[in-house]
Amino acid sequence: MPSFIEVIHDALTHALGLQSFPGRDLSSAGAARRYVRTTARWWGVAPDQAEALELIAGELAGNALEHSNSRLVAVVLSRTARTASISVTDEGQGCASAPAGPGPEQERERGLLIVEALADRWGQRKMSGGFTVWAEIAIQVH
């Protein structure tokens, strides 16, 4: 049985990941997805939940890259015993909202609908130097 200090140390060293990616480069969305997938697997997040985090990361990073004209996009992944959260911060001053429902022929503007479907909660916050969209899902760690 691990000591209390070992449990706290494990929680702190496994609870946060931060990576920045080049803005204005749409391939950064794929890099963000790979980063989130690798981190979630390293944390022992169940495969279906790691996949949900990866999809959310791709959508949020893609939106930031497409709509913000940022030099950098930061992806933060955090984990507690019961949840995993992902946030994507860019230099924009935008506003994120899921569309009412894209038409059947519309190929774009579905990203936040995907986030809304996969996340237990999601939201946004404006800051003086940028804009963050975040999402949270319940997880099981094995």
Side-chain angles (χ1 to χ4, degrees), residues 38-72:
T38 301
T39 303
R41 287 181 180 169
W42 184 69
W43 284 345
V45 174
D48 60 327
Q49 295 158 340
E51 183 178 340
L53 286 169
E54 179 183 355
L55 289 170
I56 291 168
E59 296 301 333
L60 296 182
N63 282 348
L65 292 163
E66 185 173 344
H67 299 293
S68 74
N69 198 30
S70 296
R71 291 169 291 163
L72 288 174

PDB file of all heavy atoms in Angstrom, residues 38-72:
ATOM      1  N   THR A  38      -1.408  10.472 -26.215  1.00  0.00           N
ATOM      2  CA  THR A  38      -0.247   9.920 -25.509  1.00  0.00           C
ATOM      3  C   THR A  38      -0.334  10.193 -24.016  1.00  0.00           C
ATOM      4  O   THR A  38      -0.098   9.300 -23.201  1.00  0.00           O
ATOM      5  CB  THR A  38       1.059  10.515 -26.091  1.00  0.00           C
ATOM      6  OG1 THR A  38       1.119  10.184 -27.478  1.00  0.00           O
ATOM      7  CG2 THR A  38       2.274   9.994 -25.368  1.00  0.00           C
ATOM      8  N   THR A  39      -0.667  11.412 -23.638  1.00  0.00           N
ATOM      9  CA  THR A  39      -0.761  11.771 -22.217  1.00  0.00           C
ATOM     10  C   THR A  39      -1.871  10.992 -21.525  1.00  0.00           C
ATOM     11  O   THR A  39      -1.672  10.451 -20.433  1.00  0.00           O
ATOM     12  CB  THR A  39      -0.970  13.286 -22.059  1.00  0.00           C
ATOM     13  OG1 THR A  39       0.103  13.979 -22.709  1.00  0.00           O
ATOM     14  CG2 THR A  39      -1.016  13.686 -20.591  1.00  0.00           C
ATOM     15  N   ALA A  40      -3.044  10.916 -22.141  1.00  0.00           N
ATOM     16  CA  ALA A  40      -4.165  10.194 -21.533  1.00  0.00           C
ATOM     17  C   ALA A  40      -3.828   8.715 -21.353  1.00  0.00           C
ATOM     18  O   ALA A  40      -4.155   8.121 -20.322  1.00  0.00           O
ATOM     19  CB  ALA A  40      -5.424  10.366 -22.382  1.00  0.00           C
ATOM     20  N   ARG A  41      -3.180   8.120 -22.327  1.00  0.00           N
ATOM     21  CA  ARG A  41      -2.785   6.701 -22.199  1.00  0.00           C
ATOM     22  C   ARG A  41      -1.750   6.532 -21.094  1.00  0.00           C
ATOM     23  O   ARG A  41      -1.804   5.571 -20.330  1.00  0.00           O
ATOM     24  CB  ARG A  41      -2.243   6.184 -23.523  1.00  0.00           C
ATOM     25  CG  ARG A  41      -3.324   5.969 -24.546  1.00  0.00           C
ATOM     26  CD  ARG A  41      -2.755   5.436 -25.831  1.00  0.00           C
ATOM     27  NE  ARG A  41      -3.803   5.231 -26.818  1.00  0.00           N
ATOM     28  CZ  ARG A  41      -3.579   4.974 -28.074  1.00  0.00           C
ATOM     29  NH1 ARG A  41      -2.337   4.876 -28.527  1.00  0.00           N
ATOM     30  NH2 ARG A  41      -4.582   4.808 -28.905  1.00  0.00           N
ATOM     31  N   TRP A  42      -0.810   7.468 -21.003  1.00  0.00           N
ATOM     32  CA  TRP A  42       0.218   7.399 -19.968  1.00  0.00           C
ATOM     33  C   TRP A  42      -0.415   7.489 -18.585  1.00  0.00           C
ATOM     34  O   TRP A  42       0.016   6.843 -17.645  1.00  0.00           O
ATOM     35  CB  TRP A  42       1.232   8.513 -20.201  1.00  0.00           C
ATOM     36  CG  TRP A  42       2.394   8.486 -19.265  1.00  0.00           C
ATOM     37  CD1 TRP A  42       3.398   7.566 -19.224  1.00  0.00           C
ATOM     38  CD2 TRP A  42       2.673   9.424 -18.232  1.00  0.00           C
ATOM     39  NE1 TRP A  42       4.289   7.880 -18.236  1.00  0.00           N
ATOM     40  CE2 TRP A  42       3.871   9.011 -17.608  1.00  0.00           C
ATOM     41  CE3 TRP A  42       2.039  10.569 -17.792  1.00  0.00           C
ATOM     42  CZ2 TRP A  42       4.437   9.715 -16.556  1.00  0.00           C
ATOM     43  CZ3 TRP A  42       2.611  11.267 -16.745  1.00  0.00           C
ATOM     44  CH2 TRP A  42       3.795  10.838 -16.136  1.00  0.00           C
ATOM     45  N   TRP A  43      -1.471   8.312 -18.477  1.00  0.00           N
ATOM     46  CA  TRP A  43      -2.191   8.440 -17.217  1.00  0.00           C
ATOM     47  C   TRP A  43      -3.041   7.215 -16.911  1.00  0.00           C
ATOM     48  O   TRP A  43      -3.573   7.099 -15.820  1.00  0.00           O
ATOM     49  CB  TRP A  43      -3.098   9.661 -17.243  1.00  0.00           C
ATOM     50  CG  TRP A  43      -2.388  10.967 -17.085  1.00  0.00           C
ATOM     51  CD1 TRP A  43      -1.119  11.179 -16.646  1.00  0.00           C
ATOM     52  CD2 TRP A  43      -2.944  12.256 -17.352  1.00  0.00           C
ATOM     53  NE1 TRP A  43      -0.845  12.526 -16.632  1.00  0.00           N
ATOM     54  CE2 TRP A  43      -1.946  13.205 -17.057  1.00  0.00           C
ATOM     55  CE3 TRP A  43      -4.179  12.688 -17.810  1.00  0.00           C
ATOM     56  CZ2 TRP A  43      -2.143  14.574 -17.196  1.00  0.00           C
ATOM     57  CZ3 TRP A  43      -4.373  14.055 -17.958  1.00  0.00           C
ATOM     58  CH2 TRP A  43      -3.365  14.981 -17.653  1.00  0.00           C
ATOM     59  N   GLY A  44      -3.252   6.329 -17.866  1.00  0.00           N
ATOM     60  CA  GLY A  44      -4.070   5.144 -17.642  1.00  0.00           C
ATOM     61  C   GLY A  44      -5.554   5.385 -17.831  1.00  0.00           C
ATOM     62  O   GLY A  44      -6.384   4.619 -17.339  1.00  0.00           O
ATOM     63  N   VAL A  45      -5.926   6.432 -18.566  1.00  0.00           N
ATOM     64  CA  VAL A  45      -7.334   6.709 -18.850  1.00  0.00           C
ATOM     65  C   VAL A  45      -7.861   5.600 -19.751  1.00  0.00           C
ATOM     66  O   VAL A  45      -7.171   5.149 -20.666  1.00  0.00           O
ATOM     67  CB  VAL A  45      -7.483   8.093 -19.517  1.00  0.00           C
ATOM     68  CG1 VAL A  45      -8.907   8.357 -19.958  1.00  0.00           C
ATOM     69  CG2 VAL A  45      -6.999   9.186 -18.565  1.00  0.00           C
ATOM     70  N   ALA A  46      -9.079   5.152 -19.483  1.00  0.00           N
ATOM     71  CA  ALA A  46      -9.693   4.097 -20.286  1.00  0.00           C
ATOM     72  C   ALA A  46      -9.666   4.470 -21.768  1.00  0.00           C
ATOM     73  O   ALA A  46      -9.824   5.652 -22.116  1.00  0.00           O
ATOM     74  CB  ALA A  46     -11.131   3.866 -19.825  1.00  0.00           C
ATOM     75  N   PRO A  47      -9.457   3.498 -22.659  1.00  0.00           N
ATOM     76  CA  PRO A  47      -9.292   3.799 -24.092  1.00  0.00           C
ATOM     77  C   PRO A  47     -10.420   4.621 -24.713  1.00  0.00           C
ATOM     78  O   PRO A  47     -10.148   5.539 -25.491  1.00  0.00           O
ATOM     79  CB  PRO A  47      -9.199   2.416 -24.735  1.00  0.00           C
ATOM     80  CG  PRO A  47      -8.652   1.536 -23.662  1.00  0.00           C
ATOM     81  CD  PRO A  47      -9.252   2.074 -22.386  1.00  0.00           C
ATOM     82  N   ASP A  48     -11.677   4.332 -24.396  1.00  0.00           N
ATOM     83  CA  ASP A  48     -12.774   5.100 -25.001  1.00  0.00           C
ATOM     84  C   ASP A  48     -12.779   6.548 -24.511  1.00  0.00           C
ATOM     85  O   ASP A  48     -13.098   7.471 -25.264  1.00  0.00           O
ATOM     86  CB  ASP A  48     -14.124   4.431 -24.765  1.00  0.00           C
ATOM     87  CG  ASP A  48     -14.476   4.271 -23.302  1.00  0.00           C
ATOM     88  OD1 ASP A  48     -13.565   4.064 -22.472  1.00  0.00           O
ATOM     89  OD2 ASP A  48     -15.676   4.353 -22.977  1.00  0.00           O
ATOM     90  N   GLN A  49     -12.392   6.754 -23.277  1.00  0.00           N
ATOM     91  CA  GLN A  49     -12.331   8.114 -22.744  1.00  0.00           C
ATOM     92  C   GLN A  49     -11.112   8.862 -23.292  1.00  0.00           C
ATOM     93  O   GLN A  49     -11.190  10.058 -23.564  1.00  0.00           O
ATOM     94  CB  GLN A  49     -12.321   8.069 -21.220  1.00  0.00           C
ATOM     95  CG  GLN A  49     -13.628   7.513 -20.687  1.00  0.00           C
ATOM     96  CD  GLN A  49     -13.511   6.950 -19.299  1.00  0.00           C
ATOM     97  OE1 GLN A  49     -12.438   6.625 -18.817  1.00  0.00           O
ATOM     98  NE2 GLN A  49     -14.653   6.809 -18.645  1.00  0.00           N
ATOM     99  N   ALA A  50     -10.001   8.151 -23.480  1.00  0.00           N
ATOM    100  CA  ALA A  50      -8.826   8.765 -24.103  1.00  0.00           C
ATOM    101  C   ALA A  50      -9.159   9.174 -25.537  1.00  0.00           C
ATOM    102  O   ALA A  50      -8.747  10.243 -25.993  1.00  0.00           O
ATOM    103  CB  ALA A  50      -7.650   7.797 -24.074  1.00  0.00           C
ATOM    104  N   GLU A  51      -9.939   8.354 -26.232  1.00  0.00           N
ATOM    105  CA  GLU A  51     -10.350   8.687 -27.594  1.00  0.00           C
ATOM    106  C   GLU A  51     -11.248   9.928 -27.611  1.00  0.00           C
ATOM    107  O   GLU A  51     -11.099  10.799 -28.471  1.00  0.00           O
ATOM    108  CB  GLU A  51     -11.082   7.514 -28.234  1.00  0.00           C
ATOM    109  CG  GLU A  51     -11.476   7.773 -29.666  1.00  0.00           C
ATOM    110  CD  GLU A  51     -12.165   6.578 -30.308  1.00  0.00           C
ATOM    111  OE1 GLU A  51     -12.027   5.450 -29.811  1.00  0.00           O
ATOM    112  OE2 GLU A  51     -12.847   6.794 -31.321  1.00  0.00           O
ATOM    113  N   ALA A  52     -12.153  10.019 -26.638  1.00  0.00           N
ATOM    114  CA  ALA A  52     -13.015  11.207 -26.545  1.00  0.00           C
ATOM    115  C   ALA A  52     -12.172  12.453 -26.304  1.00  0.00           C
ATOM    116  O   ALA A  52     -12.388  13.490 -26.944  1.00  0.00           O
ATOM    117  CB  ALA A  52     -14.056  11.037 -25.436  1.00  0.00           C
ATOM    118  N   LEU A  53     -11.189  12.369 -25.404  1.00  0.00           N
ATOM    119  CA  LEU A  53     -10.308  13.511 -25.157  1.00  0.00           C
ATOM    120  C   LEU A  53      -9.531  13.895 -26.414  1.00  0.00           C
ATOM    121  O   LEU A  53      -9.363  15.069 -26.723  1.00  0.00           O
ATOM    122  CB  LEU A  53      -9.328  13.197 -24.026  1.00  0.00           C
ATOM    123  CG  LEU A  53      -9.902  13.180 -22.617  1.00  0.00           C
ATOM    124  CD1 LEU A  53      -8.884  12.598 -21.653  1.00  0.00           C
ATOM    125  CD2 LEU A  53     -10.310  14.580 -22.203  1.00  0.00           C
ATOM    126  N   GLU A  54      -9.081  12.900 -27.144  1.00  0.00           N
ATOM    127  CA  GLU A  54      -8.345  13.150 -28.380  1.00  0.00           C
ATOM    128  C   GLU A  54      -9.221  13.865 -29.415  1.00  0.00           C
ATOM    129  O   GLU A  54      -8.788  14.818 -30.058  1.00  0.00           O
ATOM    130  CB  GLU A  54      -7.832  11.829 -28.940  1.00  0.00           C
ATOM    131  CG  GLU A  54      -7.077  11.962 -30.222  1.00  0.00           C
ATOM    132  CD  GLU A  54      -6.650  10.629 -30.801  1.00  0.00           C
ATOM    133  OE1 GLU A  54      -6.844   9.567 -30.173  1.00  0.00           O
ATOM    134  OE2 GLU A  54      -6.112  10.648 -31.920  1.00  0.00           O
ATOM    135  N   LEU A  55     -10.459  13.404 -29.564  1.00  0.00           N
ATOM    136  CA  LEU A  55     -11.372  14.048 -30.516  1.00  0.00           C
ATOM    137  C   LEU A  55     -11.675  15.486 -30.104  1.00  0.00           C
ATOM    138  O   LEU A  55     -11.683  16.398 -30.941  1.00  0.00           O
ATOM    139  CB  LEU A  55     -12.660  13.248 -30.633  1.00  0.00           C
ATOM    140  CG  LEU A  55     -12.540  11.910 -31.353  1.00  0.00           C
ATOM    141  CD1 LEU A  55     -13.819  11.101 -31.180  1.00  0.00           C
ATOM    142  CD2 LEU A  55     -12.226  12.120 -32.811  1.00  0.00           C
ATOM    143  N   ILE A  56     -11.917  15.684 -28.819  1.00  0.00           N
ATOM    144  CA  ILE A  56     -12.172  17.034 -28.317  1.00  0.00           C
ATOM    145  C   ILE A  56     -10.965  17.930 -28.580  1.00  0.00           C
ATOM    146  O   ILE A  56     -11.105  19.069 -29.047  1.00  0.00           O
ATOM    147  CB  ILE A  56     -12.525  17.006 -26.813  1.00  0.00           C
ATOM    148  CG1 ILE A  56     -13.905  16.354 -26.614  1.00  0.00           C
ATOM    149  CG2 ILE A  56     -12.488  18.401 -26.207  1.00  0.00           C
ATOM    150  CD1 ILE A  56     -14.220  16.014 -25.165  1.00  0.00           C
ATOM    151  N   ALA A  57      -9.769  17.412 -28.318  1.00  0.00           N
ATOM    152  CA  ALA A  57      -8.547  18.197 -28.549  1.00  0.00           C
ATOM    153  C   ALA A  57      -8.442  18.619 -30.006  1.00  0.00           C
ATOM    154  O   ALA A  57      -8.115  19.778 -30.301  1.00  0.00           O
ATOM    155  CB  ALA A  57      -7.317  17.379 -28.151  1.00  0.00           C
ATOM    156  N   GLY A  58      -8.714  17.700 -30.904  1.00  0.00           N
ATOM    157  CA  GLY A  58      -8.628  18.031 -32.322  1.00  0.00           C
ATOM    158  C   GLY A  58      -9.604  19.114 -32.730  1.00  0.00           C
ATOM    159  O   GLY A  58      -9.264  20.024 -33.491  1.00  0.00           O
ATOM    160  N   GLU A  59     -10.823  19.033 -32.204  1.00  0.00           N
ATOM    161  CA  GLU A  59     -11.839  20.031 -32.544  1.00  0.00           C
ATOM    162  C   GLU A  59     -11.504  21.402 -31.957  1.00  0.00           C
ATOM    163  O   GLU A  59     -11.588  22.417 -32.646  1.00  0.00           O
ATOM    164  CB  GLU A  59     -13.222  19.579 -32.080  1.00  0.00           C
ATOM    165  CG  GLU A  59     -13.728  18.320 -32.750  1.00  0.00           C
ATOM    166  CD  GLU A  59     -13.823  18.429 -34.260  1.00  0.00           C
ATOM    167  OE1 GLU A  59     -13.999  19.549 -34.794  1.00  0.00           O
ATOM    168  OE2 GLU A  59     -13.713  17.392 -34.921  1.00  0.00           O
ATOM    169  N   LEU A  60     -11.114  21.425 -30.685  1.00  0.00           N
ATOM    170  CA  LEU A  60     -10.796  22.711 -30.054  1.00  0.00           C
ATOM    171  C   LEU A  60      -9.547  23.346 -30.663  1.00  0.00           C
ATOM    172  O   LEU A  60      -9.514  24.552 -30.921  1.00  0.00           O
ATOM    173  CB  LEU A  60     -10.636  22.544 -28.542  1.00  0.00           C
ATOM    174  CG  LEU A  60     -11.876  22.100 -27.765  1.00  0.00           C
ATOM    175  CD1 LEU A  60     -11.567  22.040 -26.271  1.00  0.00           C
ATOM    176  CD2 LEU A  60     -13.066  22.990 -28.051  1.00  0.00           C
ATOM    177  N   ALA A  61      -8.527  22.529 -30.893  1.00  0.00           N
ATOM    178  CA  ALA A  61      -7.309  23.068 -31.498  1.00  0.00           C
ATOM    179  C   ALA A  61      -7.589  23.522 -32.935  1.00  0.00           C
ATOM    180  O   ALA A  61      -7.115  24.584 -33.353  1.00  0.00           O
ATOM    181  CB  ALA A  61      -6.199  22.020 -31.478  1.00  0.00           C
ATOM    182  N   GLY A  62      -8.350  22.744 -33.676  1.00  0.00           N
ATOM    183  CA  GLY A  62      -8.695  23.129 -35.043  1.00  0.00           C
ATOM    184  C   GLY A  62      -9.432  24.458 -35.091  1.00  0.00           C
ATOM    185  O   GLY A  62      -9.143  25.320 -35.935  1.00  0.00           O
ATOM    186  N   ASN A  63     -10.381  24.647 -34.184  1.00  0.00           N
ATOM    187  CA  ASN A  63     -11.109  25.925 -34.124  1.00  0.00           C
ATOM    188  C   ASN A  63     -10.165  27.084 -33.805  1.00  0.00           C
ATOM    189  O   ASN A  63     -10.243  28.147 -34.417  1.00  0.00           O
ATOM    190  CB  ASN A  63     -12.224  25.870 -33.082  1.00  0.00           C
ATOM    191  CG  ASN A  63     -13.433  25.120 -33.575  1.00  0.00           C
ATOM    192  OD1 ASN A  63     -13.563  24.815 -34.741  1.00  0.00           O
ATOM    193  ND2 ASN A  63     -14.324  24.808 -32.652  1.00  0.00           N
ATOM    194  N   ALA A  64      -9.285  26.863 -32.828  1.00  0.00           N
ATOM    195  CA  ALA A  64      -8.342  27.924 -32.458  1.00  0.00           C
ATOM    196  C   ALA A  64      -7.432  28.274 -33.631  1.00  0.00           C
ATOM    197  O   ALA A  64      -7.178  29.448 -33.907  1.00  0.00           O
ATOM    198  CB  ALA A  64      -7.510  27.490 -31.254  1.00  0.00           C
ATOM    199  N   LEU A  65      -6.962  27.270 -34.332  1.00  0.00           N
ATOM    200  CA  LEU A  65      -6.060  27.510 -35.458  1.00  0.00           C
ATOM    201  C   LEU A  65      -6.769  28.194 -36.612  1.00  0.00           C
ATOM    202  O   LEU A  65      -6.207  29.067 -37.266  1.00  0.00           O
ATOM    203  CB  LEU A  65      -5.459  26.177 -35.920  1.00  0.00           C
ATOM    204  CG  LEU A  65      -4.500  25.537 -34.921  1.00  0.00           C
ATOM    205  CD1 LEU A  65      -4.288  24.076 -35.249  1.00  0.00           C
ATOM    206  CD2 LEU A  65      -3.184  26.292 -34.885  1.00  0.00           C
ATOM    207  N   GLU A  66      -7.994  27.804 -36.848  1.00  0.00           N
ATOM    208  CA  GLU A  66      -8.726  28.350 -37.985  1.00  0.00           C
ATOM    209  C   GLU A  66      -9.248  29.762 -37.740  1.00  0.00           C
ATOM    210  O   GLU A  66      -9.281  30.586 -38.647  1.00  0.00           O
ATOM    211  CB  GLU A  66      -9.900  27.438 -38.322  1.00  0.00           C
ATOM    212  CG  GLU A  66     -10.648  27.858 -39.562  1.00  0.00           C
ATOM    213  CD  GLU A  66     -11.708  26.864 -39.977  1.00  0.00           C
ATOM    214  OE1 GLU A  66     -11.693  25.712 -39.499  1.00  0.00           O
ATOM    215  OE2 GLU A  66     -12.569  27.258 -40.774  1.00  0.00           O
ATOM    216  N   HIS A  67      -9.653  30.054 -36.509  1.00  0.00           N
ATOM    217  CA  HIS A  67     -10.370  31.301 -36.258  1.00  0.00           C
ATOM    218  C   HIS A  67      -9.581  32.383 -35.527  1.00  0.00           C
ATOM    219  O   HIS A  67     -10.059  33.503 -35.411  1.00  0.00           O
ATOM    220  CB  HIS A  67     -11.655  31.023 -35.474  1.00  0.00           C
ATOM    221  CG  HIS A  67     -12.599  30.126 -36.212  1.00  0.00           C
ATOM    222  ND1 HIS A  67     -13.238  30.506 -37.369  1.00  0.00           N
ATOM    223  CD2 HIS A  67     -12.993  28.853 -35.958  1.00  0.00           C
ATOM    224  CE1 HIS A  67     -13.997  29.522 -37.793  1.00  0.00           C
ATOM    225  NE2 HIS A  67     -13.866  28.504 -36.956  1.00  0.00           N
ATOM    226  N   SER A  68      -8.385  32.085 -35.004  1.00  0.00           N
ATOM    227  CA  SER A  68      -7.731  33.081 -34.145  1.00  0.00           C
ATOM    228  C   SER A  68      -6.536  33.798 -34.750  1.00  0.00           C
ATOM    229  O   SER A  68      -6.144  34.839 -34.254  1.00  0.00           O
ATOM    230  CB  SER A  68      -7.281  32.424 -32.841  1.00  0.00           C
ATOM    231  OG  SER A  68      -6.143  31.609 -33.069  1.00  0.00           O
ATOM    232  N   ASN A  69      -5.894  33.239 -35.741  1.00  0.00           N
ATOM    233  CA  ASN A  69      -4.680  33.822 -36.304  1.00  0.00           C
ATOM    234  C   ASN A  69      -3.589  33.987 -35.233  1.00  0.00           C
ATOM    235  O   ASN A  69      -2.833  34.953 -35.231  1.00  0.00           O
ATOM    236  CB  ASN A  69      -4.975  35.155 -36.999  1.00  0.00           C
ATOM    237  CG  ASN A  69      -3.860  35.554 -37.950  1.00  0.00           C
ATOM    238  OD1 ASN A  69      -3.194  34.697 -38.518  1.00  0.00           O
ATOM    239  ND2 ASN A  69      -3.645  36.845 -38.098  1.00  0.00           N
ATOM    240  N   SER A  70      -3.523  33.038 -34.306  1.00  0.00           N
ATOM    241  CA  SER A  70      -2.554  33.080 -33.202  1.00  0.00           C
ATOM    242  C   SER A  70      -1.183  32.599 -33.649  1.00  0.00           C
ATOM    243  O   SER A  70      -1.067  31.736 -34.515  1.00  0.00           O
ATOM    244  CB  SER A  70      -3.030  32.188 -32.051  1.00  0.00           C
ATOM    245  OG  SER A  70      -4.226  32.664 -31.518  1.00  0.00           O
ATOM    246  N   ARG A  71      -0.168  33.132 -33.008  1.00  0.00           N
ATOM    247  CA  ARG A  71       1.196  32.641 -33.247  1.00  0.00           C
ATOM    248  C   ARG A  71       1.401  31.292 -32.589  1.00  0.00           C
ATOM    249  O   ARG A  71       2.098  30.443 -33.113  1.00  0.00           O
ATOM    250  CB  ARG A  71       2.219  33.635 -32.715  1.00  0.00           C
ATOM    251  CG  ARG A  71       2.249  34.937 -33.517  1.00  0.00           C
ATOM    252  CD  ARG A  71       3.057  35.982 -32.813  1.00  0.00           C
ATOM    253  NE  ARG A  71       2.281  36.356 -31.617  1.00  0.00           N
ATOM    254  CZ  ARG A  71       2.753  36.986 -30.573  1.00  0.00           C
ATOM    255  NH1 ARG A  71       4.010  37.337 -30.536  1.00  0.00           N
ATOM    256  NH2 ARG A  71       1.985  37.296 -29.555  1.00  0.00           N
ATOM    257  N   LEU A  72       0.786  31.109 -31.409  1.00  0.00           N
ATOM    258  CA  LEU A  72       0.870  29.853 -30.664  1.00  0.00           C
ATOM    259  C   LEU A  72      -0.513  29.486 -30.156  1.00  0.00           C
ATOM    260  O   LEU A  72      -1.327  30.362 -29.872  1.00  0.00           O
ATOM    261  CB  LEU A  72       1.802  29.978 -29.458  1.00  0.00           C
ATOM    262  CG  LEU A  72       3.290  30.073 -29.719  1.00  0.00           C
ATOM    263  CD1 LEU A  72       4.022  30.331 -28.411  1.00  0.00           C
ATOM    264  CD2 LEU A  72       3.814  28.817 -30.371  1.00  0.00           C
TER     265      LEU A  72
END
